[in-house]
Amino acid sequence: MAKRDLREEEATLWRMVVRDIKPLRSPRSPRRLAPAAKVEPPAPVPEVPRSIPVVTGRSFLPVQSERPKPRPAELSVGVRAPGLDDTSWKRLSRGQMKVDARLDLHGYVVQEAFERLYDFMQRARVRNWRCVEVVTGLGSGETSGLIRRELPMWLQRGDLRSMVLAVVHPHAANHGSVRILLKTRRR
């Protein structure tokens, strides 16, 4: 496998991971003496801010430093997401998974369609639905299919993306609707 150069953020992350690591000494191997030559110590890695206690009227509350949350994988229609098991993916992509609810967005203005989708997805989370279908239609006319084209971007938003496992078209010839596999809570 060919080696690649680390990007700056990867190198910084790696330095943070290994900064507190000390090598293990095997009881069998003799200790090697360092040469008498003077060696410059490595440049110190900047300290990551830890939780700092803040005094309030009642108690000490730790203030967490904000660490960037890992971003979920980019969502694409018809592309299997990492972490999705084979059985669920096959059933979803073949249209064999039972649909818990459908949302039809025909005839809505884009803003209204987004609001309906958002409310629908929140309801799906509360009711713990596994698979839902959203019908956008193909559109007609010069500026047709705006809702169909916007839907993947809406699902990519942080508040909706955290609910979605995968998105597929229920039939290869029909791109006017999508089935969405949702994450569910354990019962």
Side-chain angles (χ1 to χ4, degrees):
M1 177 181 272
K3 291 188 177 185
R4 68 175 182 88
D5 294 332
L6 293 177
R7 292 180 293 191
E8 183 59 34
E9 63 265 7
E10 292 173 325
T12 303
L13 181 62
W14 180 250
R15 283 192 299 273
M16 288 174 50
V17 167
V18 298
R19 74 168 182 234
D20 296 328
I21 296 176
K22 294 179 184 164
L24 295 174
R25 301 257 185 233
S26 171
R28 289 186 238 157
S29 65
R31 286 189 170 192
R32 295 182 184 161
L33 295 175
K38 195 172 190 178
V39 178
E40 296 263 341
V45 177
E47 185 68 28
V48 175
R50 303 275 187 217
S51 174
I52 303 167
V54 175
V55 178
T56 64
R58 296 179 183 212
S59 65
F60 288 98
L61 297 174
V63 175
Q64 298 295 331
S65 60
E66 287 203 26
R67 293 184 180 141
K69 293 180 181 176
R71 201 161 178 208
E74 195 71 23
L75 186 66
S76 298
V77 178
V79 177
R80 181 177 174 175
L84 184 60
D85 63 290
D86 291 337
T87 306
S88 295
W89 172 250
K90 286 177 184 174
R91 289 183 62 223
L92 179 69
S93 60
R94 292 176 182 166
Q96 298 170 343
M97 191 168 281
K98 176 184 155 261
V99 175
D100 294 313
R102 282 186 178 78
L103 174 66
D104 191 349
L105 298 175
H106 279 104
Y108 285 97
V109 177
V110 175
Q111 182 63 35
E112 291 174 352
F114 172 73
E115 291 169 1
R116 298 266 313 198
L117 174 73
Y118 188 82
D119 292 341
F120 180 72
M121 294 294 285
Q122 296 304 322
R123 199 170 349 125
R125 174 184 283 172
V126 169
R127 294 184 179 171
N128 208 25
W129 289 337
R130 179 72 173 153
C131 181
V132 295
E133 186 168 2
V134 177
V135 179
T136 60
L138 294 174
S140 62
E142 217 172 276
T143 59
S144 66
L146 286 174
I147 296 172
R148 178 175 48 91
R149 288 193 303 262
E150 291 288 321
L151 183 68
M153 289 180 270
W154 293 342
L155 294 175
Q156 190 62 40
R157 286 176 38 125
D159 49 353
L160 296 179
R161 179 63 181 101
S162 63
M163 294 188 267
V164 178
L165 281 174
V167 180
V168 297
H169 293 291
H171 190 275
N174 180 11
H175 290 266
S177 68
V178 292
R179 287 204 178 151
I180 305 170
L181 184 63
L182 302 171
K183 295 177 184 176
T184 58
R185 296 183 310 271
R186 301 268 183 214
R187 294 179 188 197

